[in-house]
Amino acid sequence: MSDSVSRRSVLGLVGGAITVAAAATAGVAAPPRAAHAAARAGRGPGAGPRVESLVARLTLDEKISLLHGATDPKGLGQAGYVPGVPRLGIPPLRLADGPAGVRVAARATALPAPVMLAAAFDPARARRYGRVIGREGRALGQDVLLSPMVNLIRTPYAGRNFETFGEDPLLAADMVSEEIRGIQGEGLIATVKHFALNNQEKDRESVDVRADERTMHETELRGFEAAVAAGTGALMGAYNKVNGTFACENKTLLSDILRGRWGFEGWVMTDWFAQHSTVAALAAGLDMEMPDDSYFGAALKKAVRNGSVPEWQVDRSVRRILGVMERFGLLDARVPPRPPRDPEAGKAVAIDVAKAGATLLWNVRGALPLQGRAARDIAVIGPTGRHPFVSGGGSAHVIPDRAASPLDAITARAGRGADVTYALGEDLYGKAIPRRALSPGIDAEGQRVAAGKKWTYDGKLTLDESDEWTLVIHYSGERPKVELDGKELYPKLPGVAEYFSGGLVSTAPDGLNVRRATLKLTRGGHRLRISAQGGDQGQTFRLRRITRATRAADVAEAVRAARGAHSAVLFAYEDATEGQDRTTIALPGHQEALIRAVTAANPRTTVVLNTSSATSMPWLRRTAAVLQMYYPGQEGAAATAAVLFGDCDPGGRLTQSFPVDDDRHPMAGDPRRYPGTGGVEEYSEGVHIGYRWYDAEGVRPLFPFGHGLSYTTFAYEDLAVRGAGRGVDVSFTVRNTGRRAGVTVAQVYVGPSPDLDLSQAERVLGGYRRVELRPGERRRVTVRVDRRTLSAWDVERHDWVLGTGRRTVQVGTSARDLTLSTTTVIKGAGS
């Protein structure tokens, strides 16, 4: 999407850079035959008299104008715009990115990443999270939110794993349905994405994803079905192909499943520049091209005029869009007033979700919470200890109201008289190049280029000794062209990499853009040529360096700080972004060496991870504790401090399995599964996604799905199972056996059916309940496991079939820590 991303950035993406658990996923009945007949006739089942009247009065040009994006004359920095038809009182639509907050040119509440929200295992929080985004989207002039994302975490390398909920279909379905109810309850139209099988960024615009019917329905499609049941107004098609056909012109997905089976009445838009045809796309069920009119503009008008597209298909798409607008009051004479922003309410939800999703992975001999001397003599280490890691890169990046430094939050919480020191440890932004190393004519620490002027430098960089250098450029305008010995260091990157380059590493603390180039340089002189444009506003740039010597000095400083303190808190990061996948689950840069050095100096070291997804930890057993904080939003510093000092219990649990290393996970060693071969990717693991694969293959993960520790202890007792309506109720008692109030996430897993002649998972998540108890408190908990979870997809009937017979029911605190077990007999209808 090299062309597409640059154009999308013009529309605002770069501007933006400055309830019982199973309840939400009950089976959805197929729509009545009348709805099918209406769809075939080109009338949406939700089209009322007002919509029909508008369709009748619209000219063909006006109809087509509603089916594609255009340039917003107001330029609010959002991703998309549809102009509306003022003549008939049809208002424009503004469409903003917003997985973790509203992404426009203005400030908004930067919420924790969706993967952290899901870690709370609490659909009620997902609704509150959605309400914040819904209100702010309306307040900031937006009508449609391009979120939530419900694609499953299938590979640990996927660059957008932080934007979605996890690897389990039930959990994802529960979270997406409640978030949509929150968003749309505030009057903002939600867009569930990316339909479907968009589970990686690598080759996402071209890869042909092959998955059988059963795999699709039992894994990826469940969340989308739940989103439709929750009433999502819009749906975004994916870039990739699905079983040979691009998702945005895939009739099986867009018509047969989405509308025919699930009864979706909203509209389907493309992902940005994901369209490949006019006639085939419209016929398949696509309604809106974004962000421009390459296929649904003049080409569509021509197709209607020459008869290759019947006009009723255009009318059908117009009805779908207007039908949703009417549902949200956007066609009323008095459009619902836009509320003011409520930053304090947003802040409250942001810190609550960050605390609730904070996941304690490792805690040796009660190293956390920090108490006594450990809480008053602390070395804070790592770049994200000083520079807050708010959000990931790409369309999920939000300009926050504020974002405090974890160092400041820890210092404030430690209190007066405490000794809190800081060491960088791992340099992200580089250090000044010594003046003697550069020939005259450049101020490498702040070269100013006047507006409308071009500045050039033809000089020399001289090294005293051979070394590996990372040259880091900081710039405020158009990126300067830098050549070293004739090689351009910062060429325009292909695809989205040019614009979506991360939420932390691509922006310096003072707001300048950042790029890096690492190369081995020999002792002596090297020709350095730079040309920079001032542009309309003028610009400033810096050129800095990171070398083996500067890295060694940073590590030595961190070791001294750790050795001189009673306890150390080391912040480690991994900066994920839309448009590119990770190449390893190891921490980037030289952080593993830093952790080994610091833990050797001070074994009372806690590692705080600001990472997007699963991380390998060869250094784990050297540490005292590991706290997973993902991308925690604008209140992440306060939430991190609250968990470290025990002001709240770490309430999160893993929504994805953490592999031991790059060689032991479902995609390892099979390029057909990931990233694909010859342009084709095969979901050959079938229904064995995530923890199901680890069970099937007998592979032990580093940390299993559902894992997370508390500062207290719990006992699970008295398991009972009984039939209840269309499922079973699983009841048990949970008791806090420790001395502190705390959180446990009770998880119910169900074994395979003996009556289904299919490859089945050893266990699947059947339901869960987040339980908060005071010391000594006990509570009887009942979790409903619904019929859908107890069923499998029958490829001959093209429908769900109940898994009858004697099945195991287990209860515990992760997919691998199940302390209660029994069996129950699932009976079919009429038994």
Side-chain angles (χ1 to χ4, degrees):
M1 161 175 166
S2 56
D3 165 63
S4 65
V5 175
S6 62
R7 293 160 78 184
R8 184 175 186 181
S9 70
V10 171
L11 292 173
L13 290 180
V14 172
I18 341 198
T19 132
V20 174
T25 52
V28 180
R33 292 186 179 182
H36 290 294
R40 285 195 297 271
R43 300 189 309 274
R50 178 172 7 192
V51 170
E52 291 298 336
S53 174
L54 287 170
V55 172
R57 288 183 286 158
L58 285 164
T59 67
L60 178 60
D61 285 338
E62 288 170 338
K63 293 173 186 176
I64 290 174
S65 74
L66 295 172
L67 305 188
H68 62 76
T71 300
D72 184 358
K74 289 189 176 180
L76 302 181
Q78 81 278 1
Y81 174 78
V82 178
V85 183
R87 179 179 71 86
L88 296 177
I90 300 174
L93 291 174
R94 290 182 170 85
L95 303 84
D97 287 314
V102 182
R103 179 181 167 82
V104 292
R107 295 188 179 277
T109 300
L111 293 163
V115 71
M116 192 172 201
L117 166 68
F121 278 76
D122 186 359
R125 275 188 168 88
R127 183 176 289 205
R128 294 197 293 273
Y129 184 99
R131 287 183 63 185
V132 169
I133 300 175
R135 180 185 177 113
E136 292 208 340
R138 290 279 299 146
L140 293 168
Q142 304 302 306
D143 307 291
V144 182
L145 183 78
L146 304 174
S147 185
M149 176 179 172
V150 76
N151 302 101
L152 295 180
I153 294 178
R154 176 177 176 263
T155 168
Y157 302 122
R160 301 182 80 171
N161 281 348
F162 68 96
E163 287 189 56
T164 193
F165 300 113
E167 69 189 22
D168 183 78
L170 171 65
L171 178 63
D174 290 346
M175 300 305 291
V176 76
S177 57
E178 288 304 298
E179 184 179 344
I180 285 170
R181 291 184 177 104
I183 292 165
Q184 297 194 155
E186 298 295 320
L188 192 68
I189 300 167
T191 306
V192 66
K193 63 184 187 183
H194 310 83
F195 193 59
L197 307 184
N198 183 184
N199 304 112
Q200 67 188 56
E201 293 300 280
K202 184 170 176 55
D203 302 326
R204 68 175 182 174
E205 295 170 56
S206 60
V207 67
D208 182 6
V209 180
R210 305 286 177 86
D212 64 67
E213 185 179 325
R214 181 183 173 218
T215 296
M216 290 172 62
H217 279 277
E218 290 193 27
T219 59
E220 175 85 352
L221 295 189
R222 185 167 187 176
F224 289 99
E225 183 179 3
V228 170
T232 186
L235 177 144
M236 182 186 290
Y239 286 111
N240 51 280
K241 296 176 184 176
V242 176
N243 294 324
T245 304
F246 280 108
C248 288
E249 54 187 56
N250 193 307
K251 181 179 179 295
T252 299
L253 287 176
L254 301 185
S255 291
D256 300 345
I257 295 174
L258 180 64
R259 299 194 187 277
R261 180 170 185 86
W262 298 343
F264 177 60
E265 296 182 9
W267 87 83
V268 177
M269 72 181 76
T270 67
D271 205 334
W272 268 228
F273 301 95
Q275 193 161 342
H276 294 269
S277 68
T278 298
V279 177
L282 192 67
L286 183 70
D287 302 306
M288 181 182 287
E289 176 185 10
M290 292 304 296
D292 67 4
D293 61 351
S294 299
Y295 295 95
F296 275 6
L300 178 55
K301 182 177 180 179
K302 180 179 178 181
V304 173
R305 292 298 190 212
N306 67 25
S308 56
V309 167
E311 192 166 348
W312 69 260
Q313 289 185 354
V314 174
D315 292 347
R316 178 180 64 182
S317 291
V318 171
R319 283 189 183 94
R320 290 167 177 168
I321 295 165
L322 294 181
V324 176
M325 294 178 71
E326 181 180 40
R327 173 181 154 198
F328 282 79
L330 300 181
L331 299 182
D332 294 341
R334 295 176 62 88
V335 174
R338 295 191 183 274
R341 277 196 67 214
D342 189 348
E344 288 304 309
K347 173 183 175 181
V349 170
I351 193 167
D352 173 72
V353 171
K355 290 177 180 177
T359 306
L360 183 60
L361 299 177
W362 179 258
N363 197 20
V364 178
R365 293 185 295 277
L368 291 183
L370 299 175
Q371 300 178 88
R373 185 181 172 193
R376 299 185 63 77
D377 186 4
I378 307 168
V380 176
I381 296 166
T384 49
R386 170 169 283 171
H387 306 301
F389 203 141
V390 176
S391 57
S395 56
H397 193 66
V398 179
I399 307 173
D401 287 303
R402 55 179 297 279
S405 157
L407 173 62
D408 291 342
I410 290 170
T411 301
R413 178 57 183 81
R416 184 177 299 175
D419 187 6
V420 179
T421 58
Y422 174 75
L424 177 62
E426 174 89 351
D427 192 356
L428 293 179
Y429 306 113
K431 293 177 173 58
I433 298 174
R435 287 185 177 274
R436 69 178 185 278
L438 292 168
S439 57
I442 183 174
D443 179 0
E445 275 299 287
Q447 181 63 54
R448 179 68 185 168
V449 184
K453 300 293 185 180
K454 180 180 180 180
W455 179 91
T456 60
Y457 172 79
D458 191 345
K460 184 180 290 187
L461 171 67
T462 303
L463 275 67
D464 294 334
E465 58 184 0
S466 299
D467 199 353
E468 179 183 271
W469 276 47
T470 296
L471 281 162
V472 187
I473 191 164
H474 304 207
Y475 57 99
S476 62
E478 179 182 335
R479 184 161 71 249
K481 181 178 181 180
V482 181
E483 293 181 344
L484 190 67
D485 295 332
K487 178 183 178 181
E488 186 174 353
L489 298 186
Y490 313 107
K492 184 176 180 180
L493 300 175
V496 293
E498 175 64 24
Y499 299 96
F500 293 165
S501 54
L504 176 76
V505 301
S506 64
T507 306
D510 62 358
L512 295 188
N513 299 307
V514 175
R515 293 291 188 274
R516 298 165 184 79
T518 299
L519 56 166
K520 293 182 178 180
L521 299 179
T522 57
R523 179 184 176 184
H526 299 265
R527 188 177 184 184
L528 178 64
R529 302 177 67 184
I530 305 173
S531 62
Q533 303 289 340
D536 294 337
Q537 306 294 323
Q539 77 154 311
T540 299
F541 72 87
R542 295 186 289 260
L543 189 63
R544 291 182 171 177
R545 96 304 189 196
I546 302 168
T547 68
R548 290 193 187 98
T550 66
R551 283 197 301 272
D554 288 337
V555 171
E557 179 194 19
V559 166
R560 286 193 298 272
R563 188 174 288 130
H566 183 273
S567 57
V569 179
L570 192 157
F571 286 79
Y573 74 92
E574 171 260 317
D575 197 12
T577 184
E578 177 180 356
Q580 53 188 292
D581 285 346
R582 304 157 72 190
T583 57
T584 175
I585 61 172
L587 290 171
H590 297 80
Q591 293 180 97
E592 288 190 356
L594 173 65
I595 293 173
R596 287 193 294 269
V598 169
T599 52
N602 190 334
R604 295 178 296 277
T605 296
T606 293
V607 174
V608 177
L609 293 171
N610 290 131
T611 55
S612 68
S613 188
T615 303
S616 60
M617 305 180 198
W619 37 264
L620 176 67
R621 295 189 180 277
R622 297 169 173 263
T623 66
V626 177
L627 177 63
Q628 177 70 50
M629 289 300 294
Y630 300 103
Y631 303 155
Q634 68 180 48
E635 303 302 323
T640 301
V643 174
L644 289 173
F645 286 89
D647 300 335
C648 65
D649 207 39
R653 303 297 182 264
L654 291 182
T655 68
Q656 58 194 295
S657 307
F658 273 37
V660 171
D661 54 36
D662 287 304
D663 297 325
R664 283 173 280 186
H665 59 75
M667 306 298 114
D670 191 345
R672 294 172 302 171
R673 286 189 184 176
Y674 176 85
T677 58
V680 175
E681 181 183 41
E682 301 174 7
Y683 282 30
S684 57
E685 72 275 16
V687 299
H688 300 291
I689 189 170
Y691 63 88
R692 304 177 188 184
W693 179 87
Y694 288 91
D695 288 341
E697 298 298 322
V699 175
R700 179 173 293 277
L702 179 64
F703 295 113
F705 174 88
H707 172 75
L709 305 176
S710 168
Y711 290 152
T712 187
T713 54
F714 296 91
Y716 285 66
E717 304 162 329
D718 304 327
L719 175 62
V721 181
R722 63 181 179 83
R726 295 171 60 83
V728 296
D729 280 349
V730 180
S731 300
F732 47 93
T733 299
V734 181
R735 181 165 50 95
N736 184 340
T737 57
R739 298 181 179 180
R740 300 173 58 101
V743 176
T744 186
V745 175
Q747 301 161 45
V748 176
Y749 293 84
V750 182
S753 162
D755 297 340
L756 294 177
D757 188 19
L758 298 168
S759 173
Q760 299 175 68
E762 183 175 321
R763 62 179 66 87
V764 298
L765 183 68
Y768 50 87
R769 178 70 65 83
R770 181 183 177 90
V771 183
E772 301 181 22
L773 297 175
R774 299 184 302 273
E777 184 181 5
R778 67 175 63 213
R779 185 176 303 162
R780 190 70 179 168
V781 174
T782 299
V783 173
R784 169 71 52 85
V785 181
D786 70 7
R787 185 183 180 92
R788 172 59 60 82
T789 302
L790 297 170
S791 300
W793 183 261
D794 188 322
V795 296
E796 294 183 358
R797 296 172 55 190
H798 306 293
D799 206 348
W800 294 96
V801 57
L802 183 65
T804 56
R806 185 170 296 279
R807 302 181 68 170
T808 301
V809 176
Q810 296 174 289
V811 178
T813 56
S814 80
R816 289 293 178 103
D817 187 7
L818 300 166
T819 56
L820 300 179
S821 182
T822 188
T823 60
T824 189
V825 176
I826 306 298
K827 299 179 180 180
S831 299

